[in-house]
Amino acid sequence: MALLLRIRRLRAEKERAVIQAHEEFARDVHDLVGHWLWLASVKSELAYRRAAGDARLRGDLGEALQAVRHAAHAVRNVSTIHRQLSVQGESMRAQTLLADLGADCSVQVDATGLPQEVSAALGAVVREGVTNMLRHSTVRTCVIELAEHEGLLRLTVTNDGVPGRRPQPSTGEGLGNLRDRMTRVGGAVRVTAGEDGRFNLIAEVPQKFPE
Protein backbone atom coordinates (compact mmCIF):
# COMPACT_ATOMS: atom_id res chain seq x y z
CA MET A 1 0.00 0.00 0.00
CA ALA A 2 2.81 2.40 0.89
CA LEU A 3 4.52 1.64 -2.43
CA LEU A 4 1.30 2.33 -4.34
CA LEU A 5 0.86 5.68 -2.60
CA ARG A 6 4.46 6.61 -3.37
CA ILE A 7 3.98 5.75 -7.05
CA ARG A 8 0.84 7.88 -7.20
CA ARG A 9 2.65 10.77 -5.49
CA LEU A 10 5.55 10.54 -7.94
CA ARG A 11 3.16 10.52 -10.88
CA ALA A 12 1.38 13.59 -9.52
CA GLU A 13 4.69 15.40 -9.03
CA LYS A 14 5.72 14.53 -12.59
CA GLU A 15 2.41 15.85 -13.94
CA ARG A 16 2.82 19.11 -12.01
CA ALA A 17 6.37 19.50 -13.34
CA VAL A 18 5.16 19.01 -16.91
CA ILE A 19 2.37 21.56 -16.44
CA GLN A 20 4.81 24.07 -14.95
CA ALA A 21 7.22 23.58 -17.85
CA HIS A 22 4.36 24.15 -20.33
CA GLU A 23 3.34 27.35 -18.58
CA GLU A 24 6.90 28.68 -18.50
CA PHE A 25 7.32 27.88 -22.19
CA ALA A 26 4.03 29.61 -22.98
CA ARG A 27 5.15 32.75 -21.18
CA ASP A 28 8.45 32.72 -23.08
CA VAL A 29 6.60 32.38 -26.38
CA HIS A 30 4.36 35.30 -25.43
CA ASP A 31 7.31 37.54 -24.57
CA LEU A 32 9.46 36.60 -27.58
CA VAL A 33 6.83 36.35 -30.31
CA GLY A 34 4.11 38.70 -29.14
CA HIS A 35 5.99 41.90 -29.99
CA TRP A 36 6.78 40.81 -33.54
CA LEU A 37 3.22 39.67 -34.19
CA TRP A 38 1.98 43.05 -32.98
CA LEU A 39 4.40 44.82 -35.34
CA ALA A 40 3.33 42.57 -38.24
CA SER A 41 -0.29 43.39 -37.49
CA VAL A 42 0.37 47.14 -37.56
CA LYS A 43 2.35 46.94 -40.80
CA SER A 44 -0.30 44.71 -42.44
CA GLU A 45 -3.05 47.12 -41.43
CA LEU A 46 -1.12 50.02 -42.95
CA ALA A 47 -0.52 48.12 -46.20
CA TYR A 48 -4.19 47.10 -46.33
CA ARG A 49 -5.29 50.75 -46.13
CA ARG A 50 -2.80 51.83 -48.80
CA ALA A 51 -4.03 49.13 -51.20
CA ALA A 52 -7.51 50.65 -51.47
CA GLY A 53 -7.25 50.91 -55.27
CA ASP A 54 -6.23 47.27 -55.87
CA ALA A 55 -9.05 44.88 -54.98
CA ARG A 56 -6.99 41.71 -55.46
CA LEU A 57 -4.05 42.92 -53.40
CA ARG A 58 -6.41 44.26 -50.76
CA GLY A 59 -8.04 40.83 -50.52
CA ASP A 60 -4.69 39.08 -50.06
CA LEU A 61 -3.58 41.60 -47.44
CA GLY A 62 -6.90 41.26 -45.64
CA GLU A 63 -6.40 37.50 -45.34
CA ALA A 64 -2.83 37.98 -44.13
CA LEU A 65 -3.97 40.54 -41.55
CA GLN A 66 -6.66 38.17 -40.26
CA ALA A 67 -4.11 35.35 -39.91
CA VAL A 68 -1.69 37.58 -37.98
CA ARG A 69 -4.49 38.69 -35.65
CA HIS A 70 -5.49 35.08 -34.96
CA ALA A 71 -1.86 34.21 -34.21
CA ALA A 72 -1.47 37.19 -31.90
CA HIS A 73 -4.67 36.25 -30.06
CA ALA A 74 -3.48 32.66 -29.62
CA VAL A 75 -0.08 33.74 -28.28
CA ARG A 76 -1.71 36.24 -25.94
CA ASN A 77 -3.88 33.56 -24.38
CA VAL A 78 -1.62 30.51 -24.54
CA SER A 79 -0.66 30.60 -20.85
CA THR A 80 -4.29 30.70 -19.79
CA ILE A 81 -5.14 27.85 -22.15
CA HIS A 82 -2.45 25.66 -20.59
CA ARG A 83 -3.64 26.39 -17.06
CA GLN A 84 -7.37 26.05 -17.71
CA LEU A 85 -7.55 23.33 -20.36
CA SER A 86 -11.04 21.79 -20.41
CA VAL A 87 -13.27 20.10 -22.96
CA GLN A 88 -15.96 22.78 -22.55
CA GLY A 89 -13.52 25.66 -22.92
CA GLU A 90 -11.69 24.16 -25.91
CA SER A 91 -15.00 23.40 -27.66
CA MET A 92 -16.15 27.00 -27.26
CA ARG A 93 -12.78 28.32 -28.49
CA ALA A 94 -12.97 25.99 -31.50
CA GLN A 95 -16.46 27.21 -32.35
CA THR A 96 -15.36 30.86 -32.19
CA LEU A 97 -12.19 30.28 -34.21
CA LEU A 98 -13.91 28.29 -36.96
CA ALA A 99 -16.74 30.82 -37.18
CA ASP A 100 -14.14 33.58 -37.68
CA LEU A 101 -12.71 31.52 -40.55
CA GLY A 102 -16.11 31.06 -42.18
CA ALA A 103 -16.77 27.47 -41.06
CA ASP A 104 -19.88 26.17 -39.32
CA CYS A 105 -19.08 24.47 -36.01
CA SER A 106 -21.78 22.72 -33.97
CA VAL A 107 -20.91 22.04 -30.31
CA GLN A 108 -22.90 19.54 -28.26
CA VAL A 109 -20.88 19.25 -25.05
CA ASP A 110 -22.07 19.04 -21.45
CA ALA A 111 -19.07 18.47 -19.19
CA THR A 112 -20.96 18.79 -15.91
CA GLY A 113 -19.46 16.50 -13.28
CA LEU A 114 -16.36 15.54 -15.25
CA PRO A 115 -13.18 15.22 -13.18
CA GLN A 116 -10.71 17.97 -14.08
CA GLU A 117 -8.11 15.49 -15.34
CA VAL A 118 -10.62 13.84 -17.69
CA SER A 119 -11.93 17.19 -18.91
CA ALA A 120 -8.36 18.36 -19.60
CA ALA A 121 -7.55 15.18 -21.55
CA LEU A 122 -10.69 15.54 -23.68
CA GLY A 123 -9.94 19.24 -24.12
CA ALA A 124 -6.54 18.31 -25.54
CA VAL A 125 -8.32 16.03 -28.04
CA VAL A 126 -10.52 18.91 -29.21
CA ARG A 127 -7.56 21.25 -29.55
CA GLU A 128 -5.46 18.75 -31.51
CA GLY A 129 -8.41 17.88 -33.73
CA VAL A 130 -9.08 21.51 -34.63
CA THR A 131 -5.38 22.19 -35.18
CA ASN A 132 -5.13 19.26 -37.59
CA MET A 133 -8.26 20.16 -39.53
CA LEU A 134 -6.95 23.69 -40.07
CA ARG A 135 -3.58 22.33 -41.23
CA HIS A 136 -4.75 19.51 -43.46
CA SER A 137 -8.25 20.36 -44.71
CA THR A 138 -10.44 23.13 -46.03
CA VAL A 139 -12.97 22.78 -43.25
CA ARG A 140 -16.52 23.96 -43.94
CA THR A 141 -18.45 22.11 -41.25
CA CYS A 142 -17.36 20.68 -37.91
CA VAL A 143 -19.24 18.85 -35.15
CA ILE A 144 -17.90 18.46 -31.62
CA GLU A 145 -20.03 16.10 -29.56
CA LEU A 146 -19.72 14.56 -26.09
CA ALA A 147 -22.26 11.79 -25.46
CA GLU A 148 -22.82 8.44 -23.76
CA HIS A 149 -22.18 5.42 -25.96
CA GLU A 150 -22.44 1.82 -24.72
CA GLY A 151 -21.33 2.63 -21.18
CA LEU A 152 -18.57 4.97 -22.32
CA LEU A 153 -18.34 8.73 -22.57
CA ARG A 154 -17.47 9.41 -26.22
CA LEU A 155 -16.04 12.64 -27.61
CA THR A 156 -16.21 12.98 -31.39
CA VAL A 157 -14.59 15.77 -33.41
CA THR A 158 -15.76 15.53 -37.03
CA ASN A 159 -15.04 17.72 -40.02
CA ASP A 160 -15.76 17.49 -43.75
CA GLY A 161 -12.09 17.27 -44.82
CA VAL A 162 -10.98 18.12 -48.31
CA PRO A 163 -13.65 17.63 -51.01
CA GLY A 164 -12.61 15.04 -53.61
CA ARG A 165 -9.74 13.65 -51.54
CA ARG A 166 -9.83 11.21 -48.66
CA PRO A 167 -8.05 12.68 -45.62
CA GLN A 168 -5.21 10.60 -44.23
CA PRO A 169 -5.31 9.78 -40.50
CA SER A 170 -2.39 11.39 -38.69
CA THR A 171 0.15 9.10 -37.05
CA GLY A 172 2.44 11.88 -35.85
CA GLU A 173 3.52 13.04 -32.43
CA GLY A 174 0.26 14.87 -31.77
CA LEU A 175 -1.84 11.70 -31.91
CA GLY A 176 0.73 9.84 -29.82
CA ASN A 177 0.54 12.52 -27.13
CA LEU A 178 -3.26 12.27 -27.12
CA ARG A 179 -3.07 8.50 -26.70
CA ASP A 180 -0.76 8.95 -23.72
CA ARG A 181 -3.11 11.49 -22.11
CA MET A 182 -6.19 9.35 -22.67
CA THR A 183 -4.43 6.24 -21.34
CA ARG A 184 -3.68 8.08 -18.09
CA VAL A 185 -7.43 8.61 -17.52
CA GLY A 186 -8.34 5.05 -18.53
CA GLY A 187 -9.48 5.96 -22.04
CA ALA A 188 -8.44 5.63 -25.66
CA VAL A 189 -8.39 7.68 -28.86
CA ARG A 190 -8.60 6.75 -32.53
CA VAL A 191 -9.21 8.28 -35.96
CA THR A 192 -11.40 7.26 -38.88
CA ALA A 193 -11.62 8.72 -42.38
CA GLY A 194 -14.32 8.16 -44.98
CA GLU A 195 -14.34 8.19 -48.77
CA ASP A 196 -16.66 11.21 -48.63
CA GLY A 197 -13.88 13.30 -47.09
CA ARG A 198 -15.21 13.21 -43.53
CA PHE A 199 -12.62 12.82 -40.78
CA ASN A 200 -13.38 11.72 -37.23
CA LEU A 201 -11.22 12.01 -34.12
CA ILE A 202 -12.80 9.89 -31.38
CA ALA A 203 -11.89 9.65 -27.70
CA GLU A 204 -13.61 7.41 -25.15
CA VAL A 205 -13.40 7.13 -21.37
CA PRO A 206 -15.36 5.05 -18.84
CA GLN A 207 -18.54 6.85 -17.83
CA LYS A 208 -18.06 6.04 -14.14
CA PHE A 209 -15.04 7.67 -12.53
CA PRO A 210 -13.26 6.61 -9.34
CA GLU A 211 -14.00 8.69 -6.25
Side-chain angles (χ1 to χ4, degrees):
M1 186 64 179
L3 178 59
L4 181 59
L5 291 174
R6 178 172 173 75
I7 291 173
R8 288 179 178 174
R9 186 165 58 251
L10 289 173
R11 285 178 177 173
E13 290 174 356
K14 179 181 178 181
E15 187 73 18
R16 284 194 295 271
V18 170
I19 292 172
Q20 182 178 359
H22 283 172
E23 292 179 359
E24 290 175 354
F25 176 75
R27 286 192 292 269
D28 289 343
V29 169
H30 180 275
D31 292 342
L32 294 171
V33 180
H35 168 74
W36 296 109
L37 283 174
W38 172 81
L39 182 59
S41 177
V42 171
K43 292 291 187 181
S44 296
E45 178 71 32
L46 181 59
Y48 178 78
R49 293 177 181 178
R50 289 177 174 173
D54 189 328
R56 183 173 179 179
L57 177 59
R58 189 174 172 85
D60 291 340
L61 287 171
E63 291 179 5
L65 179 58
Q66 184 183 49
V68 170
R69 285 174 174 170
H70 281 308
H73 178 76
V75 169
R76 195 162 52 243
N77 291 284
V78 69
S79 294
T80 302
I81 290 172
H82 273 294
R83 287 195 300 270
Q84 300 178 352
L85 184 63
S86 71
V87 64
Q88 194 82 49
E90 288 303 313
S91 297
M92 293 300 102
R93 290 186 187 98
Q95 187 175 50
T96 300
L97 173 60
L98 292 173
D100 287 345
L101 296 176
D104 178 38
C105 180
S106 171
V107 174
Q108 302 167 36
V109 172
D110 181 2
T112 304
L114 274 185
Q116 194 280 330
E117 186 180 11
V118 174
S119 182
L122 294 176
V125 172
V126 173
R127 186 169 60 187
E128 180 70 16
V130 172
T131 298
N132 282 339
M133 73 176 68
L134 293 177
R135 286 178 178 172
H136 305 302
S137 71
T138 306
V139 57
R140 296 170 302 179
T141 61
C142 170
V143 176
I144 302 172
E145 182 181 21
L146 184 65
E148 178 187 354
H149 181 77
E150 298 181 353
L152 297 172
L153 198 59
R154 172 181 287 181
L155 172 70
T156 306
V157 182
T158 301
N159 73 290
D160 53 4
V162 180
R165 188 179 71 187
R166 179 174 178 173
Q168 298 300 313
S170 171
T171 57
E173 183 178 353
L175 184 58
N177 290 338
L178 291 184
R179 284 175 174 150
D180 289 342
R181 292 196 69 144
M182 292 305 301
T183 297
R184 289 199 294 270
V185 295
V189 64
R190 68 183 188 276
V191 297
T192 65
E195 295 292 347
D196 61 353
R198 300 195 71 80
F199 186 88
N200 306 293
L201 178 60
I202 302 167
E204 294 175 328
V205 292
Q207 192 174 13
K208 293 184 178 180
F209 307 104
E211 299 295 334

